[in-house]
Amino acid sequence: MRSILFLMVAWLVAAGEAHAQQRPAGYPRSYDALIATARAERGLTIYGNADSAELVGVVAAFHRAYPGIAVRYADLGSIDIYRRLVSETRAKRPSADLVWSSAMALQVKLINDGYAQSYASPEKPALPPQAVWKNMGYGVTAEPIGIVYNRRLIPDARMPRSHAALEAMLRQRRSAFTGKVTTFDPARSNVGYLYLAQDMAITRDSRGLLRAIAATKPVLQANTEPMLAAVAAGKQAIAYNVIGSYALEQAKRDPRLGVVLPSDYTIVTSRIAFIARDARAPASARLFLDFLLSRRGQSLLAARSLWPVRPDVPARRLSATQARPIRVGPQLLVHLDRITCQRFLRDWQAILAGAPTP
């Protein structure tokens, strides 16, 4: 409710500054009709799992560009987003107009199952090809997955900078790190499952690292926040496979935290947005999606912790040899296959138990 309130306040301020809206430069003339339709809708509802505080600047700028169009943002967990959209759509109840989540596989499943509508954004030519699927799913961010550590427990100079070096340290100092490593629980976290699956797909050496982590009796969590809090407090020394963009932003304010984006490879994930099939404010949803993908919107995301997907927006970036972006597309559905998931989780449990795995 708090996130909805602050966005409504921003709308009230912007509404008092209303002025004639001009379509963005380079957009087709038909966009004027879309703006007019959106103004008649007067607002849209977004289901998202980005921290609402990260979107204050984006929403305020959107309101200045399109006065009178309210933005109601529901800050939800990725599983809640999926379940609410499906249940509300099936019951023909009001639901989200725009759906935006870091759970890439769940987003692709919703699109594949018919819960999205097609829209060719005017900003599409400026996006990397791997960020768009079927003119429905749009990867809005390019966020690295990294390793967070407590700088008091592990001096910067001694912190491993690659997956192989991390494995070596955990094996050599297993007793020192017992109970001091935390990571996602893939059985409770869709994104955690995806990151571990990507590790395994990138290199078979990942199994050795996971065994080294398992030997420390890791603390498993369902989301990033408790991992960062535990590392900052010194309860854990290392958090593996956390969203690096969030961690880097928090590390700016907390000198206890250090962040490593592994030099051998760094997974890059994206928050996928799509317009809901039964959106009650589809024009407004298109306007907001275009704004998120525009240079202005991407620059505002970059000013916070959400790394932009557009290559023409100034921001910190990984080299092509280091980055391993997860492509937006149907291959993500493999991770939701029941048999594949069960097999993966069995392997993971065997690794945690120290048993041999195939």
Side-chain angles (χ1 to χ4, degrees), residues 214-286:
T216 68
K217 302 187 184 303
V219 176
L220 304 181
Q221 298 286 1
N223 50 62
T224 301
E225 287 76 10
M227 288 193 277
L228 293 180
V231 172
K235 294 179 180 179
Q236 270 88 52
I238 293 174
Y240 179 71
N241 266 3
V242 300
I243 299 177
S245 49
Y246 273 168
L248 287 165
E249 191 71 18
Q250 188 161 328
K252 292 178 183 178
R253 304 185 297 270
D254 192 336
R256 297 173 298 177
L257 294 176
V259 183
V260 168
L261 303 180
S263 59
D264 49 346
Y265 73 86
T266 296
I267 296 169
V268 179
T269 187
S270 186
R271 297 176 189 272
I272 300 176
F274 66 81
I275 300 166
R277 181 194 69 197
D278 296 342
R280 285 163 169 75
S284 299
R286 292 179 178 186

Side-chain angles (χ1 to χ4, degrees), residues 92-150:
K92 301 188 182 302
R93 298 198 306 270
S95 190
D97 300 296
L98 187 71
V99 185
W100 187 27
S101 172
S102 60
M104 297 182 71
L106 289 179
Q107 290 290 89
V108 168
K109 178 171 172 55
L110 286 169
I111 294 170
N112 191 66
D113 289 351
Y115 289 93
Q117 60 177 269
S118 179
Y119 174 58
S121 171
E123 300 292 347
K124 179 182 175 181
L127 306 177
Q130 71 268 17
V132 184
W133 182 46
K134 294 172 62 174
N135 282 347
M136 290 185 179
Y138 287 86
V140 177
T141 60
E143 300 174 64
I145 304 305
I147 306 167
V148 179
Y149 64 100
N150 183 293

Side-chain angles (χ1 to χ4, degrees), residues 13 24 26 59 126-127 172 190 247-248 253 270 281 290 311:
V13 172
V59 172
L127 306 177
Q172 293 165 7
N190 182 269
L248 287 165
R253 304 185 297 270
S270 186
D290 291 338

Side-chain angles (χ1 to χ4, degrees), residues 157-175:
R158 297 182 62 184
M159 180 62 197
R161 303 288 157 172
S162 70
H163 292 85
L166 176 63
E167 178 184 349
M169 184 183 75
L170 293 180
R171 289 190 183 281
Q172 293 165 7
R173 302 178 60 197
R174 183 177 69 178
S175 60

Side-chain angles (χ1 to χ4, degrees), residues 47 61 70 90 106 116 120 126 141 153 162 164 177 180 205 251 258 263 292 302 317:
Y47 288 176
R90 288 177 176 174
L106 289 179
T141 60
L153 299 177
S162 70
F177 285 103
K180 291 292 187 178
D205 293 341
S263 59
L292 282 177
R317 300 190 186 280

